[in-house]
């Protein structure tokens, strides 16, 4: 299905096609193997849509790892395993609407050299926002009454 979705999106002129792998457990080898298959399927669809050989397309343009801000140090272990399989290009940090500040993301960004692209601060579509590093630092280290990440 992912192949057909990407091919159709390209054929119909869409700029973006989003594909969600629905919360794979990054520590399960068989699920990580499935992610590799999904990446290869994306590459095949992109090659087909562009009329080029599969060897010319490595995978999707962007792959984001979505991390729950409440999981703490487990986030780094998940990110390392995910990076070995998917070579992701960015992070999405969710659940920043509660007490979690997402400090572990600093370690993930430093260790794996990937940027935070978006943050989630709630359940609504408008609660997913582009990451603002200045607001994040202010929320982490500034006056708690001024937090606005």
């Amino acid at each position: 299905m992912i192949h057909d979705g990407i091919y159709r999106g390209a054929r119909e002129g869409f700029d973006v096609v989003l594909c969600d792998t629905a919360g794979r457990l990054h520590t399960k080898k068989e699920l990580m193997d499935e992610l590799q298959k999904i990446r290869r399927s994306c590459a095949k669809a992109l090659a087909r849509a562009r009329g080029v050989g599969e060897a010319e397309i490595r995978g999707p343009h962007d792959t984001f790892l979505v991390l729950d801000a409440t999981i703490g140090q487990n986030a780094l272990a998940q990110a390392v395993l995910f990076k070995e399989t998917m070579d992701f290009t960015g992070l999405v940090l969710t659940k920043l609407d509660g007490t979690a500040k997402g400090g572990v993301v600093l370690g993930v960004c430093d260790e794996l050299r990937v940027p935070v692209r978006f943050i989630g601060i709630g359940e609504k579509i408008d609660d997913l926002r582009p990451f603002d590093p200045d607001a994040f630092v202010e929320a982490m280290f500034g006056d708690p009454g001024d937090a606005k990440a």
Side-chain angles (χ1 to χ4, degrees):
M1 290 186 76
I2 199 166
H3 178 280
D4 295 341
I6 290 171
Y7 182 69
R8 180 178 174 184
R11 190 180 68 235
E12 294 181 11
F14 288 92
D15 293 328
V16 176
V17 176
L18 298 175
C19 306
D20 183 355
T21 60
R24 302 288 181 199
L25 296 175
H26 311 304
T27 56
K28 301 287 187 185
K29 180 173 177 7
E30 63 275 6
L31 295 177
M32 296 307 284
D33 290 345
E34 283 184 42
L35 285 175
Q36 288 178 327
K37 289 178 188 175
I38 291 169
R39 185 176 191 87
R40 288 190 301 270
S41 184
C42 292
K44 286 179 184 179
L46 288 168
R48 180 177 170 211
R50 291 183 182 163
V52 299
E54 289 179 31
E56 293 184 46
I57 306 289
R58 188 164 171 261
H61 298 99
D62 277 313
T63 301
F64 296 155
L65 172 61
V66 179
L67 289 175
D68 180 330
T70 65
I71 65 172
Q73 288 301 315
N74 288 334
L76 181 57
Q78 284 186 8
V80 168
L81 287 170
F82 194 81
K83 184 80 169 167
E84 290 172 2
T85 301
M86 291 301 289
D87 192 28
F88 58 92
T89 58
L91 294 169
V92 178
L93 191 61
T94 64
K95 297 188 182 174
L96 285 173
D97 52 328
T99 57
K101 289 189 174 184
V104 72
V105 77
L106 300 174
V108 173
C109 291
D110 183 55
E111 173 112 3
L112 300 176
R113 301 289 185 222
V114 292
V116 176
R117 302 294 179 112
F118 297 94
I119 61 166
I121 59 166
E123 299 291 326
K124 298 177 187 150
I125 189 69
D126 291 337
D127 293 335
L128 183 65
R129 312 177 167 178
F131 178 66
D132 178 345
D134 294 329
F136 183 77
V137 169
E138 183 62 31
M140 290 284 295
F141 303 110
D143 181 358
D146 293 338
K148 59 183 176 191

